[in-house]
Amino acid sequence: VQLQASGGGLVQAGGSLRLSCAASGSFLSVNFMGWYRQVPGKQREYVAGVGTGDSTFYADSVKGRSTISRDNGKNTVHLQMNSLKPEDTAVYYCYVRLWTGRDTTRDYWGQGTQVTVSS
């Protein structure tokens, strides 16, 4: 299984970015897809996620400024981030939980994409 993340970059405060992550390889289906972020010296923190049935979850720090969505046909998750703040600067990691068997799931992490918000 491979996760290909894209969409990071440098943006000014108040700007927007859209992160995407596509899962490919051998698995039955996608259970959950989400994003975490990490800054040097701190623990990785949850940002947003989308489950089966398109239920969505957001950290308080991004709620109201971000929208997460998934394309089941392409096994892809998107995170639209608006009104970005310098404190959103971090490496963003895609996370997926995949059904690999009838009763078995497995977690995977993407390689990380840098988001830098300048003030």
Side-chain angles (χ1 to χ4, degrees):
V1 172
Q2 289 187 330
L3 300 183
Q4 184 63 49
S6 61
L10 173 64
V11 65
Q12 288 188 333
S16 299
L17 280 176
R18 187 183 192 225
L19 304 182
S20 298
C21 178
S24 62
S26 180
F27 54 91
L28 298 182
S29 64
V30 175
N31 177 276
F32 183 90
M33 305 186 87
W35 291 91
Y36 286 70
R37 66 187 182 187
Q38 188 171 24
V39 297
K42 291 190 176 182
Q43 286 189 333
R44 191 171 296 186
E45 65 174 10
Y46 176 79
V47 177
V50 54
T52 55
D54 291 334
S55 53
T56 57
F57 310 88
Y58 298 94
D60 288 342
S61 58
V62 303
K63 194 175 296 182
R65 301 188 293 121
S66 299
T67 303
I68 192 167
S69 60
R70 60 191 279 178
D71 182 336
N72 292 322
K74 297 181 180 180
N75 296 320
T76 299
V77 61
H78 305 288
L79 180 65
Q80 177 69 41
M81 299 189 294
N82 303 318
S83 303
L84 284 162
K85 306 174 182 180
E87 50 264 44
D88 293 316
T89 296
V91 177
Y92 284 69
Y93 294 92
C94 173
Y95 161 82
V96 297
R97 174 163 289 175
L98 304 176
W99 288 104
T100 55
R102 191 179 69 175
D103 300 310
T104 306
T105 60
R106 186 169 177 179
D107 298 340
Y108 294 87
W109 291 91
Q111 79 277 17
T113 184
Q114 177 71 45
V115 171
T116 303
V117 184
S118 62
S119 57

